[in-house]
Amino acid sequence: MDTVQILLSLLSLIAASEALYKRWIPNTNYENASNWIERRVPCAQDKAVFPRDKRVSIFVQSSHPLTDLYLPLDGEFILSHGAGFLAASWEDPECGQGKFTNFEDADRHEWLDPTLWRSALSTDDLDTGRFLFAVDSESVPCRYDDVIFSPDTSFRVHFKEMGSDVQLRSISVLGKKFTNNDDFSQYLQSPTGKLQFPGSAHPQITNLRCQDSTGCLCGNDGMLQEICSVLLRDTDNKCPEVTCANPLRPIGHCCGICGALISLDYASAFSLETYRSRLLHTFLSLEKYSSVKLAISKVAHPLSILNVIRLGEEVKIQIVLIDGKEGALIGSDALQLGYDILADIDTHGTSFGIIKAEMQFATGGVSSPQTALMSPGAISGIVIGVILGLSVMGVTYFLYRMDSCSHRYLEFLQFWSDGATMVEDTAPVDIGGFDNPIFEPSPENNQAADTDGENGKDVVLQRSGFQFINPVFDSSFDV
Ligand SMILES: *[C@@H]1O[C@H](CO)[C@@H](O)[C@H](O)[C@H]1NC(C)=O
């Protein structure tokens, strides 16, 4: 056993029992200033007002002197030890005249809002803020997740009737964990349950674990549209503008992103948990990647020819990398990490059960490619330079060469349909293959490479049939 193998077996031991925990963020606690329209907790001379017709469950942690308290027609206060309300018997000098202080509308939070959940590998990580990044559809609880509503908080979450059943492994409410659907259904019939989860629809608790060490699909694909409409409801279903020219579209994500997207083909030896740990510990912990967010999960890739003919779907591991850079530099750290991951796969991929890796990327700096060239180093910089010069939507590099020509053909068709939708209509197709206009030597093309300085001459994007050889890895591997 070499060190990598030892490390791998250690990691898989640790990984064996891992599950994902998703915690609901908002609460309806009395002491939370952001739950009041005035953004402060009512003080002694204030009149606290709960909207008359809004049903709420409110957790109160301490005792509050008030001048007046207007209660809703239906609702409950959950009082922790020593908590309560009392008529103010003295003036609080800090409170001034006192005002009407109004509780926020507690009905505004939806289960399907991906921004209202935090995800982590353990409850400890949730407490210490070591959150995992995920695409939108997987930010919302997935089929095998443990869902947590923090103890000592009240909440109200709207759970819409959805096309497919939402399943969860378990759910914890007010410190009690439900792993049995009957128990949870019974809880939902209680007064507190009804206030926390209004409406008739609710998730099914299965107590099922993902049994596949290569990972399990999240199971939220069918809800993506609803998730996105909740996410984008304030912007009329429009995605925020991004600064890279041709943003990537990760599977399960609502909007285009700048950064890098790696897609892995895996064998049965692959372990999602092990590989995630590897990426988090080996790369994401590095100072230079402190602004990078990484999401890794198993996704179902639609397979199609030129986006028209559907060939079913293919299950892959998707890695999404975004960074905190802005403007011309957006995506540059993510891309650099992408190259590091590809290089790691080149040397250790087989021991991780990875068969093939492809990367697409979109970075900023279209107007100033010089800047964008700096950070990923000279060689990859040229690759970007060429791409930026020609405004391609993102380029896929095949790490491993494929031997079968027909295989290549399909892959290449996919490359076109995934990456370069603008070009696909005009791409000439014949039995011999494509003439890729992107890599055709043109004056513009040469110019782009020349501006990159002395390294430029050594780097050529080679073309052989349908096969692109990634100049970054060209010399270092052969399968
Ligand atoms: C206060 O409530 C808001 C909205 O419900 C939530 O996002 C925030 O995390 C809460 N803060 C605390 C300290 O509980």
Side-chain angles (χ1 to χ4, degrees):
M1 271 210 200
D2 64 17
T3 44
V4 172
Q5 276 172 317
I6 293 169
L7 184 71
L8 281 180
S9 42
L10 278 178
L11 281 173
S12 51
L13 276 182
I14 301 165
S17 62
E18 264 175 11
L20 283 193
Y21 294 84
K22 301 248 167 89
R23 180 180 279 166
W24 176 253
I25 307 165
N27 61 45
T28 56
N29 286 11
Y30 187 92
E31 280 86 4
N32 183 338
S34 58
N35 285 334
W36 296 91
I37 291 175
E38 290 74 18
R39 295 290 172 263
R40 61 184 177 83
V41 180
C43 51
Q45 286 93 279
D46 281 338
K47 302 176 166 86
V49 182
F50 289 89
R52 199 182 129 83
D53 49 359
K54 290 284 180 189
R55 294 154 185 260
V56 279
S57 167
I58 308 283
F59 191 83
V60 189
Q61 263 157 327
S62 54
S63 97
H64 298 273
L66 286 172
T67 300
D68 242 328
L69 176 61
Y70 294 77
L71 296 176
L73 291 176
D74 186 11
E76 70 175 5
F77 289 95
I78 303 171
L79 306 177
S80 72
H81 188 72
F85 302 103
L86 50 137
S89 52
W90 51 279
E91 288 241 327
D92 175 358
E94 308 231 309
C95 194
Q97 286 280 309
K99 290 201 180 98
F100 282 101
T101 318
N102 300 280
F103 202 76
E104 275 275 9
D105 177 8
D107 279 321
R108 62 195 194 286
H109 296 310
E110 300 218 27
W111 179 279
L112 288 188
D113 189 336
T115 63
L116 299 183
W117 297 94
R118 290 266 185 273
S119 171
L121 290 169
S122 68
T123 50
D124 240 24
D125 283 1
L126 280 175
D127 292 338
T128 52
R130 292 173 4 131
F131 305 128
L132 293 175
F133 169 61
V135 291
D136 295 322
S137 71
E138 298 173 23
S139 296
V140 173
C142 299
R143 197 180 304 167
Y144 299 104
D145 288 346
D146 291 290
V147 168
I148 297 171
F149 291 89
S150 303
D152 292 351
T153 62
S154 50
F155 62 92
R156 185 166 170 91
V157 52
H158 280 270
F159 192 89
K160 267 199 269 173
E161 192 79 58
M162 276 164 276
S164 49
D165 269 352
V166 171
Q167 300 191 336
L168 306 171
R169 183 169 130 80
S170 75
I171 192 165
S172 301
V173 177
L174 288 169
K176 180 167 167 39
K177 181 172 177 179
F178 295 94
T179 53
N180 176 305
N181 200 46
D182 291 342
D183 293 348
F184 184 59
S185 304
Q186 212 167 4
Y187 174 75
L188 290 173
Q189 297 311 312
S190 71
T192 306
K194 282 183 185 161
L195 290 169
Q196 291 167 333
F197 299 92
S200 56
H202 57 82
Q204 306 286 316
I205 310 303
T206 62
N207 200 23
L208 290 179
R209 211 173 250 293
C210 168
Q211 300 287 351
D212 184 345
S213 66
T214 67
C216 287
L217 293 170
C218 166
N220 286 350
D221 280 358
M223 290 181 274
L224 182 61
Q225 219 175 346
E226 281 159 287
I227 290 170
C228 295
S229 68
V230 173
L231 179 73
L232 302 172
R233 69 192 149 185
D234 294 336
T235 56
D236 232 6
N237 263 324
K238 285 202 188 63
C239 285
E241 298 249 331
V242 286
T243 45
C244 54
N246 302 293
L248 304 167
R249 292 301 304 259
I251 290 175
H253 211 53
C254 297
C255 296
I257 57 153
C258 308
L261 195 56
I262 300 176
S263 179
L264 304 180
D265 284 9
Y266 58 92
S268 58
F270 180 78
S271 157
L272 181 63
E273 302 306 338
T274 308
Y275 192 60
R276 181 193 281 123
S277 312
R278 164 111 184 150
L279 296 182
L280 295 181
H281 295 132
T282 314
F283 299 108
L284 227 64
S285 55
L286 300 177
E287 177 62 32
K288 61 177 170 172
Y289 296 137
S290 57
S291 89
V292 179
K293 287 196 213 168
L294 177 151
I296 177 170
S297 63
K298 186 182 271 189
V299 296
H301 254 263
L303 264 186
S304 68
I305 296 182
L306 302 179
N307 273 346
V308 181
I309 307 158
R310 291 249 163 264
L311 299 175
E313 58 180 33
E314 189 181 18
V315 171
K316 298 210 181 204
I317 302 298
Q318 171 176 270
I319 303 173
V320 182
L321 304 168
I322 58 171
D323 60 33
K325 288 275 158 64
E326 282 173 9
L329 287 176
I330 195 164
S332 55
D333 281 2
L335 177 58
Q336 175 72 64
L337 174 54
Y339 280 120
D340 280 2
I341 292 174
L342 292 188
D344 184 50
I345 291 172
D346 185 25
T347 38
H348 301 303
T350 326
S351 45
F352 279 109
I354 296 169
I355 297 168
K356 197 182 91 185
E358 299 173 22
M359 180 165 80
Q360 290 176 287
F361 56 86
T363 54
V366 176
S367 52
S368 56
Q370 242 65 319
T371 337
L373 293 178
M374 300 316 295
S375 48
I379 295 178
S380 45
I382 290 156
V383 176
I384 303 164
V386 173
I387 290 150
L388 288 176
L390 294 161
S391 344
V392 180
M393 300 200 88
V395 166
T396 307
Y397 289 109
F398 298 115
L399 250 188
Y400 287 82
R401 300 175 189 181
M402 280 155 286
D403 1 81
S404 128
C405 197
S406 60
H407 194 179
R408 284 180 194 167
Y409 185 70
L410 262 185
E411 288 288 345
F412 189 58
L413 286 172
Q414 219 193 318
F415 155 59
W416 274 114
S417 59
D418 285 346
T421 36
M422 268 166 40
V423 199
E424 70 193 24
D425 290 337
T426 51
V429 185
D430 64 33
I431 298 162
F434 294 106
D435 251 342
N436 186 346
I438 297 160
F439 296 104
E440 207 68 80
S442 68
E444 192 193 354
N445 197 341
N446 293 337
Q447 200 188 350
D450 281 346
T451 54
D452 298 320
E454 68 266 46
N455 290 327
K457 294 201 171 45
D458 302 327
V459 181
V460 189
L461 280 169
Q462 297 178 36
R463 187 160 57 108
S464 56
F466 304 116
Q467 170 77 50
F468 293 101
I469 294 156
N470 184 343
V472 177
F473 297 99
D474 189 23
S475 55
S476 61
F477 74 73
D478 242 315
V479 181

